[in-house]
Amino acid sequence: MAGDERRPPELRPLLLLRPSPLALSCLSTRFHLLKPWDSPLPLPAFLSAHAAAVEALLITGLIPVTADTLDSLPSVRCIVTTSAGVNHIDLSECARRGVVVANTGTVFSEDGADYAVGLLIDVLRRVSAADQYVRRGLWPITGDYPLGSKLGGKRVGIIGLGNIGSRVAKRLEAFGCTISYNSRTKKPSVPYKYYPNVCDLAADSDALVVSCSLTSKTHHIINKDVLSALGKQGIIINVGRGELIDEEELIKCLMNGDIKGAGLDVFKNEPSVPEEFLSMNNVVLSPHSAVCTNEVSQDLIHLVIANFEAFFSGRPLITPVSA
Amino acid sequence: MEALGVLLTFPMNPYLEEELDRRCKLFRLWETPPESRRDFLRAHAGSIRAVVGNAQVGADAETIDSLPKLEIVSCFSVGLDKVDLDKCRQRGIRVTNTPDVLTEDVADLAIGLAIAVMRRIPEADRYVRSGSWKSKGDYKLTTRFSGKTVGIIGLGRIGKAVAKRAEAFGCPIVYYSRSEKPDTNYTYCSNVLDLAANCQVLVVACPLTPETRHIVNREVMDALGPKGVLVNIGRGPHVDEPELYKALIEGRLGGAGIDVFEQEPHVPEELFGLENVVLLPHVGSGTIETRTAMADLVLGNLEAHFTNKPLLTPVI
């Protein structure tokens, strides 16, 4: 292996499957990084030649981990992913093989919640659209911008009261919003009203914030019926995954005025965004950047290091995920 | 109130205008070109007993002097900087404003502006709409809002509401006010320069008076610094606008979210090309709900005055 003879003996091997500038710059002094892309060998050959004994795998960029991936890495015992979502990892296969998995825990939660609130204020108060109006020099020409809608007193339905959803709730309470939620199960210790049915939640909400994981059960959790129940004055904010919403239905509803507006950080076919959105000024579009801050990068690297160090010391992972 | 002459200074709200038109004899100041205004006022001075003004056009000394029958100035705003209060006191003219009903919207917008600037929400929206996400890849990393120290100039109704919201994001709060407020736990700074040096987001939420004009000057912006963000939801003249532009372009100030300008509706064009600012056309109280509530308060104050009842929200 290139560079083998220079490896300090105490650095444990860590396999990456794609280049990640953050990982490469911050982890190379702590682990011996295996970088298949630097090798002339195709990936399967590289793995059998150099990674047969590797116990630790870092997944960045949502690269899938399937049964085949695990077959090609017979010694892997610990996978750390730099995402909160784990729908790209076959957790049951990992569990079956005794492979422990860690995600980002709550590292992204504050920034994700901030962004969801920022998007909601933007849509209601037309921040992005009005900023554009000013920059086009229109204020002196066509006068005051059309009025927005007050956030205070709005009923907000949160879909997925997890790490991000619960922080969104806490923030919006300070703005005088009433919070209700839908989640896989009712949370006994939260003061908000639980709705087992998403349509019922939508019918009683002025705005929905989608912040749940994408699973086979939550695919298109926001569908035509939910949008219809949300109604003409309703707003939807999505900081989860594109496929949580039936995008074609959403476009139709927006075009027909069947809902009032949307703030979307995620889409079905990123980075492609349906053209229809581009001409809508009641929609705020965002390039999957809800958790992308400088501060989070630092927090993330510390967490990745802490998880691998825990694993190598025989201690439990800091932010383990189970199937 | 049919014979009552009311001067409306600006097309501030269709509902307010309709109601005034229905109930009183309404004079619309903006329909007269500026050069004919003096004549316009002289012509109708005999019937005008009330002026309804806003943040753009109020009741200055000249206007008040030209209206000998003026009894009340009812402001469609909480700010009183466009009303010559001394003149009103001299003449015994009542003055009302619209406090409380707009507090939440303005505070919401202050936080919305801070997040919009720090997380580059409008910029990112433009990035997607221009096709850059596909052609150039992911948008750059931005700056976290949660946990940043928020400094507030003026801890009145709006300032306190901003603080309450910022606290929900884990933001420590520091403030400057003419005097320390005994009923809060927030850290007091005895001058604006110290405040700016000790926070990352500086929010202007005090009234505009001769003392607070340019309260955010070059020194304050330098103290706030290259990582600092200025949010102005007060009045344009609170901030030295040419210095603001220089500080932003030279990187001495990290960013700004500005809802108010020195010469509204004119915004310095140099700001249009900056990616570290968000520029809004004075929409702090700009929601249907709040503007209706403000209009009802203006109408309610006028009704009270002309039926000899106590004013709802008197200032003078």
Side-chain angles (χ1 to χ4, degrees):
Chain A
M1 178 170 7
D4 214 348
E5 57 287 346
R6 291 196 294 275
R7 168 164 58 118
E10 63 273 13
L11 288 189
R12 310 273 202 156
L14 172 60
L15 175 66
L16 275 60
L17 292 178
R18 67 185 265 286
S20 151
L22 189 63
L24 293 171
S25 59
C26 303
L27 299 180
S28 53
T29 50
R30 297 198 180 240
F31 303 100
H32 171 59
L33 300 180
L34 302 179
K35 302 172 232 171
W37 60 88
D38 274 350
S39 165
L41 296 175
L43 182 64
F46 176 91
L47 293 183
S48 46
H50 302 298
V54 165
E55 295 181 298
L57 170 64
L58 175 66
I59 292 293
T60 62
L62 303 176
I63 289 195
V65 175
T66 62
D68 287 343
T69 319
L70 295 168
D71 282 342
S72 65
L73 296 167
S75 302
V76 156
R77 289 286 167 270
C78 173
I79 298 175
V80 175
T81 176
T82 57
S83 59
V86 287
N87 53 299
H88 55 299
I89 298 182
D90 189 334
L91 294 175
S92 2
E93 269 303 314
C94 290
R96 204 171 65 73
R97 296 163 196 243
V99 177
V100 291
V101 181
N103 71 344
T104 52
T106 59
V107 151
F108 291 146
S109 308
E110 306 274 307
D111 289 321
D114 290 356
Y115 208 81
V117 172
L119 282 177
L120 181 58
I121 298 177
D122 194 320
V123 176
L124 284 171
R125 301 298 300 273
R126 308 184 183 219
V127 176
S128 288
D131 172 77
Q132 190 66 345
Y133 182 76
V134 172
R135 285 176 200 257
R136 288 208 175 118
L138 293 172
W139 193 12
I141 301 175
T142 36
D144 283 346
Y145 198 69
L147 298 178
S149 179
K150 184 175 174 161
L151 175 59
K154 289 281 191 293
R155 301 163 302 167
V156 179
I158 300 183
I159 297 176
L161 201 71
N163 289 319
I164 293 180
S166 59
R167 284 164 177 76
V168 171
K170 175 182 167 206
R171 282 152 175 70
L172 289 180
E173 280 192 297
F175 291 81
C177 295
T178 306
I179 308 293
S180 306
Y181 73 103
N182 167 269
S183 220
R184 274 170 307 183
T185 53
K186 184 172 178 183
K187 316 253 169 188
S189 52
V190 307
Y192 318 126
K193 182 172 174 188
Y194 175 64
Y195 282 77
N197 179 291
V198 181
C199 263
D200 291 341
L201 177 63
D204 284 356
S205 298
D206 303 305
L208 294 176
V209 176
V210 185
S211 51
C212 59
S213 342
L214 178 62
T215 65
S216 51
K217 295 206 180 72
T218 60
H219 180 266
H220 284 197
I221 192 172
I222 307 297
N223 58 18
K224 182 175 177 170
D225 292 334
V226 173
L227 291 169
S228 174
L230 180 60
K232 283 191 188 310
Q233 295 303 313
I235 306 276
I236 188 151
I237 304 295
N238 190 3
V239 293
R241 285 285 179 271
E243 290 274 43
L244 290 165
I245 299 184
D246 181 341
E247 209 164 77
E248 274 97 61
E249 268 311 316
L250 178 62
I251 290 171
K252 269 193 227 150
C253 284
L254 285 163
M255 287 178 71
N256 294 335
D258 293 332
I259 68 165
K260 190 157 164 203
L264 307 170
D265 185 48
V266 284
F267 303 87
K268 185 173 159 181
N269 292 316
E270 296 169 18
S272 287
V273 167
E275 253 184 57
E276 293 91 332
F277 286 138
L278 303 185
S279 56
M280 296 179 189
N281 74 349
N282 55 341
V283 176
V284 179
L285 304 169
S286 171
H288 202 150
S289 44
V291 302
C292 299
T293 61
N294 286 301
E295 292 87 340
V296 116
S297 288
Q298 292 308 307
D299 295 345
L300 186 57
I301 274 301
H302 291 141
L303 184 61
V304 165
I305 293 170
N307 271 305
F308 281 126
E309 285 184 346
F311 168 69
F312 286 125
S313 324
R315 287 181 279 113
L317 297 181
I318 315 295
T319 49
V321 187
S322 41
Chain B
M1 297 199 299
E2 303 79 22
L4 167 63
V6 177
L7 177 72
L8 187 61
T9 65
F10 191 85
M12 54 194 81
N13 182 265
Y15 159 65
L16 177 61
E17 196 178 321
E18 270 165 38
E19 283 300 301
L20 288 172
D21 201 27
R22 196 172 61 76
R23 303 193 212 178
C24 322
K25 184 157 175 41
L26 185 62
F27 299 96
R28 296 174 176 79
L29 185 61
W30 68 92
E31 286 182 344
T32 311
E35 56 278 10
S36 323
R37 274 191 196 158
R38 220 175 276 172
D39 294 333
F40 175 80
L41 292 177
R42 206 174 297 135
H44 301 290
S47 36
I48 294 176
R49 294 163 67 195
V51 169
V52 174
N54 74 343
Q56 273 73 34
V57 185
D60 58 12
E62 194 185 330
T63 307
I64 296 170
D65 279 339
S66 59
L67 300 172
K69 296 271 171 68
L70 183 60
E71 297 171 33
I72 179 168
V73 175
S74 190
C75 298
F76 186 75
S77 64
V78 66
L80 297 159
D81 44 286
K82 288 282 165 80
V83 178
D84 191 325
L85 296 173
D86 284 338
K87 193 124 267 232
C88 289
R89 277 187 204 101
Q90 274 170 37
R91 286 263 307 266
I93 295 168
R94 306 304 306 273
V95 177
T96 66
N97 62 349
T98 59
D100 298 314
V101 295
L102 49 66
T103 300
E104 292 178 354
D105 269 353
V106 177
D108 292 352
L109 194 75
I111 302 294
L113 270 172
I115 300 175
V117 176
M118 292 170 85
R119 303 300 308 274
R120 297 287 194 267
I121 297 180
E123 271 299 310
D125 176 84
R126 276 188 279 275
Y127 189 78
V128 174
R129 284 173 198 272
S130 65
S132 296
W133 193 13
K134 277 169 89 163
S135 56
K136 297 188 192 154
D138 284 343
Y139 192 67
K140 61 183 178 178
L141 297 180
T142 56
T143 304
R144 173 176 295 164
F145 173 65
S146 269
K148 296 292 163 65
T149 303
V150 172
I152 304 176
I153 301 178
L155 204 67
R157 285 171 288 243
I158 294 174
K160 283 205 181 100
V162 172
K164 177 180 169 197
R165 284 148 179 74
E167 281 191 299
F169 293 79
C171 298
I173 308 293
V174 291
Y175 74 99
Y176 164 77
S177 214
R178 277 169 307 181
S179 57
E180 192 168 353
K181 308 268 172 185
D183 54 341
T184 82
N185 285 330
Y186 306 136
T187 303
Y188 177 66
C189 286
S190 57
N191 67 78
V192 182
L193 213 49
D194 278 350
L195 182 71
N198 285 297
C199 68
Q200 284 132 316
V201 181
L202 181 64
V203 180
V204 183
C206 62
L208 178 65
T209 66
E211 293 76 40
T212 62
R213 185 179 177 278
H214 284 193
I215 194 170
V216 180
N217 56 19
R218 187 193 167 108
E219 286 72 37
V220 169
M221 291 182 227
D222 283 346
L224 187 50
K227 294 207 159 91
V229 171
L230 174 68
V231 174
N232 191 3
I233 41 121
R235 285 288 181 267
H238 277 130
V239 175
D240 186 335
E241 226 158 68
E243 287 296 339
L244 173 67
Y245 169 68
K246 275 193 233 149
L248 288 165
I249 199 98
E250 291 167 19
R252 288 180 286 112
L253 177 63
I258 310 286
D259 185 44
V260 284
F261 300 86
E262 295 205 83
Q263 302 293 334
E264 294 172 19
H266 300 286
V267 175
E269 276 184 29
E270 309 88 81
L271 296 172
F272 293 177
L274 298 182
E275 61 97 27
N276 54 348
V277 299
V278 174
L279 308 168
L280 294 180
H282 202 149
V283 295
S285 62
T287 65
I288 294 171
E289 296 92 331
T290 292
R291 291 286 170 85
T292 305
M294 287 163 68
D296 285 338
L297 206 43
V298 167
L299 293 165
N301 273 304
L302 290 175
E303 184 83 43
H305 175 76
F306 290 107
T307 56
N308 292 311
K309 296 208 185 69
L311 296 180
L312 304 179
T313 47
V315 174
I316 296 174

